[in-house]
Amino acid sequence: MNPIELESSFDYTTLRGEPETIQNKFKEIISRAPRNNEWTSFIELFQYQGFWHSPSFLEGTILAQEEFQPHPNEIILCSAPKAGTTWLKALAFSILTRSKNTLNNLEPNPLLSSTPHECVPFLEVDLFQKKQTQYPQIPLIATHLPYVSLPKSITTNSTCRIVYISRDPKDVVVSMWHFIGNIKTCKNNEESAIFPLERAVELFCEGISKNGPYWDHVLGYWKASLEQPDRVLFLKYENLKSDTKVWVKRLAEFMGFPFSSEEVIEDAIQKVVDLCSFENLSNLEVNKNAEFNLFSTVKVKNNKYFRKGEVGDWKTCLSEEDRKKIDRISEEKLKDSGLTFG
Ligand code: A3P
């Protein structure tokens, strides 16, 4: 398949609708669900189908589970928060929309003037909760939903493909703790209260984190990738960092948009890698200063999606005790799965 034009026939407006019964279902679930607001008082988490969600994401999840109909060529980018979502969105978007002109800066490239989150919407929040339609009309959608909670229209009898990115849980919890400490309310710019990293680790290890338990999130997609390797590609942030070009080539093939031999000669793969690198994206004006409404009530500066982008930053802040605790859980949870982190 050739990379596609931004104006395709894919129409997000067919995804909208909000029957009252679904609203009632949401209210009913929220009223009974276990809840926790220790990460931040701004975002209370609710447990649904074994995983923890913020109310906005949960409302959109319930709607998406009932109503979402994927395009037959849809590519769904899945991740737990802080595992590399922003990077994966940038890479997949640039693979799908690349042209000689955009890669050689002869035509404007949306990734240079918009954040990756404005290029690829989240299914459960941007499309179904906020009902936004301004996204590029391409069959690329992201989600933080665990595999068990994906709409059945994605997991059953569908031809769409799934790409999952995982990351060492030690880096995920550190990244999440920094991120949560940097959000603000939309109303009066009130900042999230300072919250000890040790407590964040405890909660994370208990499975209480946005879209956690993290290990169950990863395992759901790992198993799906073993069962359906043609439909589910499982990536590791660490491999993508150490061998970016190899994995970008593999990602493009899996997505059905392989680089042609002409593109390989012109080094198009390296151009995609460079365009989406942490150094490039984090230095763009849009990613440095603009603000982003995470939910209707909470906002975050775009630069908070680009903190360090390193493997092993946990070494700078996790205690030996916390490292051991997280590694022990990884060992227990991943035992016999064939999966290791890092
Ligand atoms: P750190 O906080 O460890 O720096 P998500 O996109 O899922 O919210 O994850 C955010 C993490 O991915 C942050 O990690 C961020 O710095 C990192 N990241 C964002 N863009 C990246 C890129 N282009 N390359 C590598 N890492 C990136």
Side-chain angles (χ1 to χ4, degrees), residues 82-87 167 175 237 276 278 305-309:
K82 305 301 133 201
T85 320
T86 313
W87 192 16
R167 190 181 188 189
S175 182
Y237 181 94
C276 301
F278 182 85
Y305 287 92
F306 302 92
R307 192 181 63 90
K308 285 192 174 176

Side-chain angles (χ1 to χ4, degrees), residues 278-285 287-288:
F278 182 85
E279 291 66 32
N280 188 50
L281 292 182
S282 61
N283 282 308
L284 295 172
E285 193 52 34
N287 293 327
K288 277 206 282 201

Side-chain angles (χ1 to χ4, degrees), residues 73-271:
N73 295 329
E74 196 85 64
I75 298 161
I76 321 274
L77 308 177
C78 307
S79 59
K82 305 301 133 201
T85 320
T86 313
W87 192 16
L88 180 61
K89 281 185 176 187
L91 287 170
F93 181 82
S94 104
I95 287 170
L96 205 71
T97 61
R98 71 185 185 270
S99 71
K100 225 178 195 173
N101 284 351
T102 50
L103 290 184
N104 291 312
N105 294 328
L106 299 172
E107 267 177 28
N109 188 328
L111 273 176
L112 299 178
S113 53
S114 322
T115 71
H117 296 289
E118 288 167 301
C119 295
V120 183
F122 279 111
L123 172 73
E124 62 276 29
V125 67
D126 299 318
L127 298 183
F128 275 91
Q129 202 270 333
K130 295 183 187 164
K131 298 182 175 53
Q132 290 179 340
T133 54
Q134 80 277 25
Y135 294 94
Q137 305 279 292
I138 55 171
L140 197 56
I141 288 178
T143 180
H144 282 323
L145 285 177
Y147 190 80
V148 287
S149 297
L150 287 177
K152 293 286 168 276
S153 57
I154 295 176
T155 50
T156 318
N157 297 327
S158 120
T159 52
C160 58
R161 283 167 238 204
I162 292 174
V163 180
Y164 185 76
I165 187 158
S166 67
R167 190 181 188 189
D168 183 330
K170 301 191 286 300
D171 278 332
V172 171
V173 67
V174 168
S175 182
M176 191 174 283
W177 176 72
H178 279 287
F179 184 81
I180 295 284
N182 274 301
I183 57 176
K184 289 189 228 160
T185 54
C186 291
K187 209 169 160 192
N188 49 8
N189 275 341
E190 189 195 334
E191 295 192 353
S192 195
I194 294 177
F195 163 63
L197 176 60
E198 294 68 31
R199 182 63 191 139
V201 171
E202 272 173 20
L203 285 167
F204 188 81
C205 289
E206 285 166 31
I208 306 171
S209 61
K210 178 133 188 338
N211 298 92
Y214 178 72
W215 290 268
D216 296 345
H217 200 284
V218 175
L219 276 171
Y221 285 94
W222 172 250
K223 287 178 187 154
S225 76
L226 296 180
E227 283 160 16
Q228 307 170 73
D230 296 341
R231 283 204 55 220
V232 185
L233 176 67
F234 189 95
L235 299 175
K236 292 181 178 178
Y237 181 94
E238 294 76 15
N239 292 348
L240 206 51
K241 275 298 270 191
S242 61
D243 248 336
T244 318
K245 215 171 154 180
V246 169
W247 283 98
V248 166
K249 182 170 178 288
R250 173 91 187 81
L251 176 60
E253 286 161 2
F254 178 83
M255 288 170 64
F257 295 88
F259 289 90
S260 66
S261 35
E262 193 192 331
E263 285 181 307
V264 171
I265 292 166
E266 289 170 354
D267 223 4
I269 308 178
Q270 188 62 47
K271 285 177 184 157

